[in-house]
Amino acid sequence: MRKLFCMFVAVVWSAVCFTLAILAMVLTLNPANSVWVARRIWSPVLLWAGGAKLEVLGQENVDPKRPTIYVANHQSTIDIPAHFMAVPVPFRYVAKSQLKWVPFIGWYLALAGHVFVNRSNRAKAISSLDTAAAKIRGGVSIFLYPEGTRSPDNRILPFKKGPFALALKARVPICPVTIEGSGKLMPKSTWNITPGPVRVKIGKPIDTTHFAENDREGLARAVREVIIADSLSLGGLGGDVDDAVAAAGVEGVSTPRSRATSST
């Protein structure tokens, strides 16, 4: 029964809220107002419908005056409203290009200035990261999921290096964000809902200027190690520290070279 209720609420409420967000942007000419709608109106209802009890730790590490890249592990579709509520800044998501064609959601993301990445086309993906870097230099924070997909077992998957090239290009801090419980509440590829706690921990910002401009892997490892440690502290499963960097063009699978390097 809850499954059908959640599906109904998600579809109807998303249509209503994304329409409101689009109107807010058009009438005020301010894309940031769309994020307010997502945070204050859309997200709380979705979490309520799913029976999620959100707990946020580390909000003191968020500086709304400083453009930042927020990097999180990804367990569930419900991570998105949880992160909108947990991180109180008008950030923009880096989203898969396929979402651009989804009614209401795609329209909202495009008009609000969220960044679409075409992962099947390397040139377009690089261009998208350049667009995101320009937004960051203009003072806009970015939120992304470097695993590239939701974890099927709630363990931290290998990270793709592209997001960390973005951080090194923009030279802004990275805030590691860890979520636990959302994968149990709503597992990947299902609408089966089990109400329960969802915990989000925002780590201390990592200064990217301490890394060489081409050290994407070193930065990815440093951020991922913090998220693994915080996952364990929140009662999660953590992840394999050695299985750190995803193979090119693949999500959730590490590179053989990455494992060999980390074990020597």
Side-chain angles (χ1 to χ4, degrees), residues 9 13 17 35-54 78 80-82 84-86:
V9 169
W13 194 239
C17 289
V35 181
W36 186 92
V37 172
R39 174 173 297 114
R40 298 289 187 176
I41 301 176
W42 179 68
S43 298
V45 172
L46 291 191
L47 293 179
W48 165 78
K53 297 179 180 178
L54 182 64
I78 210 163
I80 294 170
F84 266 129
M85 293 186 66

Side-chain angles (χ1 to χ4, degrees), residues 19-253:
T19 301
L20 286 174
I22 291 169
L23 287 173
M25 285 185 284
V26 171
L27 294 175
T28 65
L29 301 179
N30 185 356
N33 287 334
S34 69
V35 181
W36 186 92
V37 172
R39 174 173 297 114
R40 298 289 187 176
I41 301 176
W42 179 68
S43 298
V45 172
L46 291 191
L47 293 179
W48 165 78
K53 297 179 180 178
L54 182 64
E55 178 185 359
V56 183
L57 306 170
Q59 274 192 340
E60 67 275 8
N61 294 319
V62 176
D63 183 352
K65 298 180 181 178
R66 176 195 62 209
T68 303
I69 297 177
Y70 295 91
V71 170
N73 63 311
H74 200 7
Q75 295 186 347
S76 170
T77 302
I78 210 163
D79 292 353
I80 294 170
H83 286 136
F84 266 129
M85 293 186 66
V87 182
V89 295
F91 61 76
R92 304 298 191 275
Y93 270 113
V94 174
K96 294 180 180 180
S97 59
Q98 297 93 316
L99 290 176
K100 185 186 296 186
W101 311 112
V102 178
F104 297 105
I105 295 176
W107 306 337
Y108 157 74
L109 290 172
L111 287 173
H114 296 266
V115 180
F116 293 103
V117 175
N118 186 337
R119 293 173 181 158
S120 63
N121 185 310
R122 179 175 173 78
K124 289 183 178 180
I126 292 173
S127 176
S128 298
L129 292 178
D130 288 339
T131 299
K135 285 184 180 292
I136 295 167
R137 286 192 288 266
V140 176
S141 293
I142 294 290
F143 200 109
L144 51 84
Y145 299 109
E147 293 164 297
T149 187
R150 289 163 289 166
S151 174
D153 61 3
N154 302 329
R155 295 180 183 274
I156 314 298
L157 299 175
F159 282 3
K160 302 179 77 67
K161 291 190 288 186
F164 302 96
L166 167 63
L168 293 170
K169 181 188 291 284
R171 285 301 185 186
V172 296
I174 286 185
C175 255
V177 179
T178 309
I179 191 165
E180 283 298 336
S182 60
K184 294 179 181 178
L185 187 146
M186 184 179 176
K188 181 178 180 178
S189 302
T190 179
W191 277 87
N192 293 328
I193 307 294
T194 304
V198 174
R199 307 179 74 193
V200 175
K201 184 174 182 178
I202 304 167
K204 293 181 179 180
I206 294 174
D207 187 352
T208 57
T209 62
H210 294 164
F211 295 81
E213 281 190 33
N214 61 349
D215 192 13
R216 298 177 298 164
E217 182 167 330
L219 182 56
R221 287 183 179 278
V223 174
R224 188 172 179 273
E225 286 174 6
V226 172
I227 292 176
I228 287 174
D230 286 345
S231 168
L232 294 171
S233 74
L234 294 174
L237 298 174
D240 186 343
V241 175
D242 293 334
D243 199 15
V245 180
V250 180
E251 296 171 346
V253 179

Side-chain angles (χ1 to χ4, degrees), residues 2-19:
R2 181 177 285 273
K3 175 180 178 179
L4 294 176
F5 174 70
C6 287
M7 292 175 68
F8 175 79
V9 169
V11 171
V12 174
W13 194 239
S14 294
V16 170
C17 289
F18 290 137
T19 301

